[in-house]
Amino acid sequence: MGAVNSGATTGGVLNGAPLVERVPKQDRSRATRRRLLEAAVACLAEHGWAGSTVSVVAERAGVSRGAAQHHFPTREDLFTAAVEYVAEERSTALRDLFPDGPTNRHAVVAALVDLYTGPLFRAALHLWVAASNEDQLRPRVTELEAHVGRETHRIAVDLLKADESRPGARETVQGFLDMSRGLGLANLLTDDGARRERVVAQWSKILDEVLG
């Protein structure tokens, strides 16, 4: 009989017993990290900073507290990584909405506004509030938000086909993103969908006028 591979298997039978498929340790580690990050964002969005302890996140992710701390030694490590992870995921999803390029600016404007009305923005908002009172957390969240802001602006410029050499173009794109953040804040308390649609339509016209 040939030697049995000690790494991942694809099933089979050994001495009359089925072989258990093994997932490589590195893949298991990545999967655990992903579950923790997704659980952290969900907890922040639902329970806020005060109610989102490492233990709560670990339970939601289905892992032990020790496993959570192996990946993220501190609470700050966990939550800053979580928001950054989902921000990157949303950036990828946003680009994937237009695999052949956007057909019109209105669709892009609506998609970018949606970026600020989902669980990512809600989780980030709780982090901002916590960072304003936590000296250890503040510099990390400030750095993260600067990175996310630059990436979002770059994506917006690309999708809106904005030529930033045109006078006022850069400021108009940034103003639109700031407005979108405001709509996200309003959406935290009430369903502001109807008004948001009208604002999206108006900003689509403004961007067309300024960006050409």
Side-chain angles (χ1 to χ4, degrees), residues 4-74:
V4 177
N5 187 343
S6 60
T9 70
T10 56
V13 176
L14 178 63
N15 296 331
L19 291 174
V20 177
E21 292 193 3
R22 297 189 183 95
V23 179
K25 184 176 181 180
Q26 187 177 20
D27 290 346
R28 292 199 305 273
S29 179
R30 280 197 295 264
T32 298
R33 178 183 170 86
R34 184 185 182 98
R35 289 203 306 275
L36 284 166
L37 293 175
E38 292 175 345
V41 171
C43 285
L44 268 180
E46 294 174 14
H47 308 302
W49 174 257
S52 299
T53 65
V54 174
S55 296
V56 168
V57 172
E59 181 178 359
R60 184 171 187 135
V63 305
S64 68
R65 180 185 173 90
Q69 291 182 314
H70 170 74
H71 287 276
F72 303 102
T74 70

Side-chain angles (χ1 to χ4, degrees), residues 46 126 150 153 179 187 201:
E46 294 174 14
H126 286 298
R150 288 192 299 270
H153 184 93
M179 179 279 303
N187 197 61

